[in-house]
């Protein structure tokens, strides 16, 4: 993409490689998706830093490394149906759209869902569907999913999400450790038999809370 930011994207790709991202398709997606279109105008100059940034409504666009790692953990081949919880800016949605066949994304703040939809449209991405709603319930009419990625801190593993995974499907979710505001990015694999799943802790992360029926209770405002 010749938008003046290609050099910045290449440097971000190098930084992610140094931090251990190996999946070539994920690195290609980072080299392609114009991240500056998914951050507020005044932060555009920092869009390719490997850092989280505020996107309004008290939410953040996650750090590129964590987004790339989450994508990598899904081990996508291009044929999958993926569900994302916490659309936020829509940037990770765009990465996933390059890595899977179809992406469904749920965001609980209507304004963010609307803006992400616009940004995705401006990027020319068509294999995504964004819905405003409580993602802790999943998105049942489109289930099952080969991969699910949750971009907000959860008190546990929401049951509806595991239920909406295909046998052999993968869920990546930051689960609270119970001591402060740090979570463990966790990979959950549903067994090929369909019954039961296993969990693998990956790394410590820090996300904004997942608010909803199977997440934290939203505070009255
Ligand atoms: N992947 C996004 C992350 C945004 S932060 C990005 O990089 O831009 C997490 C997002 O999860 C916030 O936008 C927040 O509003 C949303 N969220 C929190 N609880 C949710 C829920 N129950 N359902 C859907 N979205 C939720």
């Amino acid at each position: 993409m010749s938008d003046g930011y290609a050099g910045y994207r290449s440097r971000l790709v190098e930084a992610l490689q140094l931090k251990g991202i190996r999946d070539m398709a994920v690195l290609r997606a980072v080299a392609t998706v114009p991240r500056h279109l998914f951050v507020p105008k005044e932060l555009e100059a920092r869009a390719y830093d490997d850092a989280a940034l505020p996107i309004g409504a008290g939410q953040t666009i996650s750090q590129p490394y964590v987004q790339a790692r989450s994508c990598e953990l899904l081990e996508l081949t291009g044929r999958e149906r993926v569900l994302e919880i916490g659309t936020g800016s829509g940037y990770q949605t765009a990465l996933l759209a390059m890595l899977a066949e179809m992406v469904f994304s749920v965001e609980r703040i209507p304004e963010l869902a609307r803006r992400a939809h616009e940004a995705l449209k401006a990027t020319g991405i068509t294999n995504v569907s964004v819905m405003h709603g409580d993602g802790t319930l999943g998105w049942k009419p489109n289930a099952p999913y080969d991969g699910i990625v949750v971009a907000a801190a959860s008190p546990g593993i929401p049951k509806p999400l595991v239920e909406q995974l295909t046998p052999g499907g993968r869920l990546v979710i930051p689960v609270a450790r119970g001591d402060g505001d740090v979570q463990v990015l966790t990979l959950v694999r549903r067994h090929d038999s369909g019954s039961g799943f296993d969990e693998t802790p990956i790394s410590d992360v820090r996300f904004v809370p997942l608010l909803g029926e199977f997440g934290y209770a939203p505070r009255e405002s």
Side-chain angles (χ1 to χ4, degrees), residues 35 55 59-62 67 84-92 106-109 112 133-136 151-152 207-212:
R35 196 170 197 264
I55 55 170
Q59 306 302 319
T60 53
I61 178 170
S62 310
Q67 297 177 315
E84 177 190 40
I85 310 304
T87 319
S89 65
Y91 174 72
Q92 182 153 24
V106 187
E107 169 56 53
R108 74 178 284 273
I109 300 177
L112 291 182
D134 177 5
T136 68
F207 278 86
V208 297
L210 180 71
L211 305 176

Side-chain angles (χ1 to χ4, degrees), residues 46-173:
R46 292 168 58 196
Y48 297 96
D49 293 355
D50 189 18
L53 297 170
I55 55 170
Q59 306 302 319
T60 53
I61 178 170
S62 310
Q63 183 192 0
Y65 170 73
V66 177
Q67 297 177 315
R69 186 75 184 111
S70 300
C71 288
E72 188 172 64
L73 287 166
L74 292 181
E75 294 191 359
L76 300 169
T77 66
R79 291 189 295 270
E80 297 81 2
R81 292 161 66 81
V82 172
L83 174 68
E84 177 190 40
I85 310 304
T87 319
S89 65
Y91 174 72
Q92 182 153 24
T93 326
L95 293 182
L96 291 167
M98 289 199 59
L99 299 166
E101 186 166 304
M102 185 68 204
V103 182
F104 300 91
S105 187
V106 187
E107 169 56 53
R108 74 178 284 273
I109 300 177
E111 175 62 15
L112 291 182
R114 193 189 58 75
R115 269 196 266 150
H117 176 76
E118 290 304 317
L120 287 161
K121 211 163 75 183
T123 317
I125 288 170
T126 53
N127 57 333
V128 304
S129 201
V130 179
M131 172 178 86
H132 161 234
D134 177 5
T136 68
L137 303 169
W139 190 343
K140 216 165 172 191
N142 300 310
Y145 304 98
D146 306 294
I148 302 179
V149 56
V150 180
S154 180
I157 296 170
K159 202 160 160 253
L161 299 187
V162 182
E163 287 170 353
Q164 291 175 31
L165 274 181
T166 55
R170 293 166 160 245
L171 161 68
V172 176
I173 180 168

Side-chain angles (χ1 to χ4, degrees), residues 1 3 5-6 8-10 12-14 16-17 21-36 38 47-48 64 67-72 76 78 90-100 103 120 123 125 127:
M1 192 173 281
D3 55 11
Y5 283 98
Y8 290 88
R9 277 192 291 277
S10 302
L12 176 57
V13 167
E14 282 164 24
L16 298 183
Q17 275 179 306
I21 302 298
R22 294 278 171 269
D23 186 322
M24 289 312 291
V26 172
L27 294 169
R28 247 190 330 267
V30 174
T32 308
V33 177
R35 196 170 197 264
H36 62 282
F38 293 88
Y48 297 96
Q67 297 177 315
R69 186 75 184 111
S70 300
C71 288
E72 188 172 64
L76 300 169
Y91 174 72
Q92 182 153 24
T93 326
L95 293 182
L96 291 167
M98 289 199 59
L99 299 166
V103 182
L120 287 161
T123 317
I125 288 170
N127 57 333

